[in-house]
Amino acid sequence: MGFFRKLLALFGKKEAVPKTETNEEKKSFFLYIVKTPEIVTYFRREKGISRKDLELVLIDDGERPAYQVAQIAELLMKDLNVFYLLTDREEAFLELSEEAMEEYGLLLVLLPKETSRPPGNVVLDVEQWEKQLDIVSAVSYNTLTI
């Protein structure tokens, strides 16, 4: 009987796992990735832009891995005719650009990040979005003004 108590006591101890900001940031970033098409649709409708006239600009965050920004781009490219990606790491998105043309017939234009006036009519800045959007819930999300 004493053996089982010791065993339960040993397995019953739970160590507190310290939460770091990076884990929370990653979690919130991935929540936003899933909601990105809904957010863009909302802003398109709010601005009165038809789907065929939408020219989306995605501004890359150089501090995030390129695959995360590529995930966002892949979610968005299904419904677009023209897609601009402002980035300083063009080589990381060349394959994505070719894939967009082959699979969707989408022209994915890679522009330098220093472009003063991006050519699109809706801009999604990955660097700034977590500062603008509130916590995403399962039911709805708050909006940011463009």
Side-chain angles (χ1 to χ4, degrees), residues 65-139:
Y67 77 89
Q68 290 180 347
V69 179
Q71 283 179 331
I72 296 169
E74 287 175 1
L75 287 172
L76 295 172
M77 66 173 76
K78 296 174 186 170
D79 295 329
L80 298 175
N81 293 326
V82 179
F83 191 16
Y84 300 100
L85 178 61
L86 275 60
T87 183
D88 290 332
R89 36 187 192 172
E90 290 184 19
E91 64 281 346
F93 298 104
L94 288 175
E95 186 177 323
L96 180 67
S97 177
E98 293 172 7
E99 178 184 324
M101 182 57 81
E102 290 173 3
E103 289 188 27
Y104 302 106
L106 172 66
L107 179 61
L108 177 61
V109 181
L110 301 173
L111 297 172
K113 200 170 184 180
E114 294 81 30
T115 304
S116 59
R117 279 212 40 104
N121 51 16
V122 175
V123 177
L124 183 62
D125 190 345
V126 178
E127 287 180 322
Q128 299 296 320
W129 74 352
E130 286 183 297
K131 296 175 187 173
Q132 302 293 325
L133 294 173
D134 290 337
I135 297 172
V136 176
S137 69
V139 177

Side-chain angles (χ1 to χ4, degrees), residues 47-70:
K47 292 182 101 178
I49 301 169
S50 67
R51 188 178 291 180
K52 69 176 183 171
D53 294 331
L54 178 65
E55 294 181 6
L56 183 66
V57 177
L58 182 65
I59 301 176
D60 179 25
D61 181 4
E63 295 182 14
R64 298 215 177 264
Y67 77 89
Q68 290 180 347
V69 179

